[in-house]
């Protein structure tokens, strides 16, 4: 299946700082890139997504950027809060469109 | 907000036994999926299902796995002869559109422990 690489695997920031998580994908047919937040023992929850016809999307403190040429996309969280602490997964859709291929996750810790 | 419901939340089974994991997708959704997540690892696609047929499956989804929509509301994943490495959290998801860009809604998961 398609490879989605995610970095870093862990990220620790102080409350109020920004956090950036980066992903790369290999399949040029991918056109949908969601980000999920997963708290311990809970289901992944969609926090933001971007489609290939858009370069950037913002929703309050969260933004996602996409560089289709370089096959990179990134999640930016500004003014981080302790409740942002969770594991964040990026994903890219498969060339069939049905499946999502996930990155390995970034464990974000926001310290007060 | 509509939810995808999964039962049971936790199942313990002996190696070699069959297990059936159950899901009730959101009522107006037509596309259904199973994913699994081994503890501490990424979420992995198993299978997608539409109109009573598998539309895509991964290499993980071998002959030991099967899916079924036995009635108008349930969507099940069966593992015929469980192995220790099948221990994982299994997530069901549904969407209203034909591809993942419509957005999935994940269920709360079933933690399967094979002993």
């Amino acid at each position: 299946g398609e490879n989605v690489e995610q970095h870093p695997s862990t990220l620790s920031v102080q409350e109020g700082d920004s956090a950036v998580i980066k992903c790369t994908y290999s399949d040029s047919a991918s056109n949908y890139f969601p980000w999920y937040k997963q708290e311990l023992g809970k289901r992944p929850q969609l926090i933001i997504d971007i489609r290939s016809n858009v370069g950037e999307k913002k929703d309050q403190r969260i933004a996602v950027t996409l560089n289709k040429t370089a096959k990179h996309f990134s999640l930016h969280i500004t003014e981080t809060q302790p409740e942002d602490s969770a594991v964040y997964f990026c994903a890219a859709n498969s060339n069939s469109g049905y499946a999502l291929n996930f990155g390995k996750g970034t464990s974000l810790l926001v310290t007060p | 907000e509509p939810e995808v419901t999964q039962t049971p939340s936790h199942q313990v089974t002996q190696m070699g036994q069959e297990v059936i994991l159950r899901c009730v997708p959101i009522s107006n959704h037509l596309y259904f999926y199973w994913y699994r997540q081994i503890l501490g690892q990424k979420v992995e696609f198993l299978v997608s299902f539409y109109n009573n047929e598998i539309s895509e499956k991964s290499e993980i989804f071998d002959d030991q796995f099967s899916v079924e929509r036995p009635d108008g509301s349930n969507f099940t994943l069966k593992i015929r002869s469980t192995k220790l490495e099948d221990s994982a959290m299994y997530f069901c998801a549904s969407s209203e559109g034909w591809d993942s860009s419509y957005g999935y809604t994940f269920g709360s998961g079933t933690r399967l422990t094979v002993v």
Side-chain angles (χ1 to χ4, degrees), chain A residues 20-49:
Chain A
V20 180
I21 303 170
K22 298 183 178 182
C23 288
T24 60
Y25 62 98
S26 58
D27 190 343
S28 55
S30 295
N31 60 6
Y32 174 65
F33 308 93
W35 286 88
Y36 287 85
K37 177 182 180 182
Q38 187 178 33
E39 297 175 349
L40 190 63
K42 296 195 174 178
R43 75 188 81 189
Q45 293 202 300
L46 179 69
I47 55 171
I48 196 167
D49 56 15

Side-chain angles (χ1 to χ4, degrees), chain A residues 1 3-4 31-32 36 38 41-44 46 49 51 89 93-94 96-104, chain B residues 3-4 31 33 35 37 41-45 48 55-56 59 89 91 98-104 106-108:
Chain A
N3 202 28
V4 176
N31 60 6
Y32 174 65
Y36 287 85
Q38 187 178 33
K42 296 195 174 178
R43 75 188 81 189
L46 179 69
D49 56 15
R51 287 163 176 77
F89 290 96
N93 62 341
S94 65
S96 73
Y98 293 111
L100 287 178
N101 295 303
F102 284 79
K104 290 187 175 180
Chain B
E3 285 191 348
V4 175
Y31 300 84
Y33 312 86
Y35 283 76
Q37 186 178 31
Q41 298 188 23
K42 67 177 178 179
V43 179
E44 299 176 291
F45 171 75
S48 60
S55 43
E56 185 176 358
E59 57 270 19
M89 181 75 93
F91 291 106
W98 74 271
D99 77 5
S100 51
S101 69
Y102 280 80
Y104 288 179
F106 281 95
S108 54

Side-chain angles (χ1 to χ4, degrees), chain A residues 6-82:
Chain A
Q6 183 172 348
H7 299 280
S9 56
T10 60
L11 180 59
S12 183
V13 300
Q14 284 204 315
E15 183 176 3
D17 288 350
S18 295
V20 180
I21 303 170
K22 298 183 178 182
C23 288
T24 60
Y25 62 98
S26 58
D27 190 343
S28 55
S30 295
N31 60 6
Y32 174 65
F33 308 93
W35 286 88
Y36 287 85
K37 177 182 180 182
Q38 187 178 33
E39 297 175 349
L40 190 63
K42 296 195 174 178
R43 75 188 81 189
Q45 293 202 300
L46 179 69
I47 55 171
I48 196 167
D49 56 15
I50 192 167
R51 287 163 176 77
S52 59
N53 58 347
V54 174
E56 184 172 357
K57 184 177 177 180
K58 191 172 181 181
D59 182 4
Q60 300 183 342
R61 297 187 296 108
I62 294 172
V64 57
T65 59
L66 171 65
N67 182 330
K68 276 223 79 174
T69 303
K71 296 181 186 167
H72 289 172
F73 58 114
S74 300
L75 178 71
H76 304 251
I77 306 173
T78 58
E79 301 170 28
T80 54
Q81 301 165 2

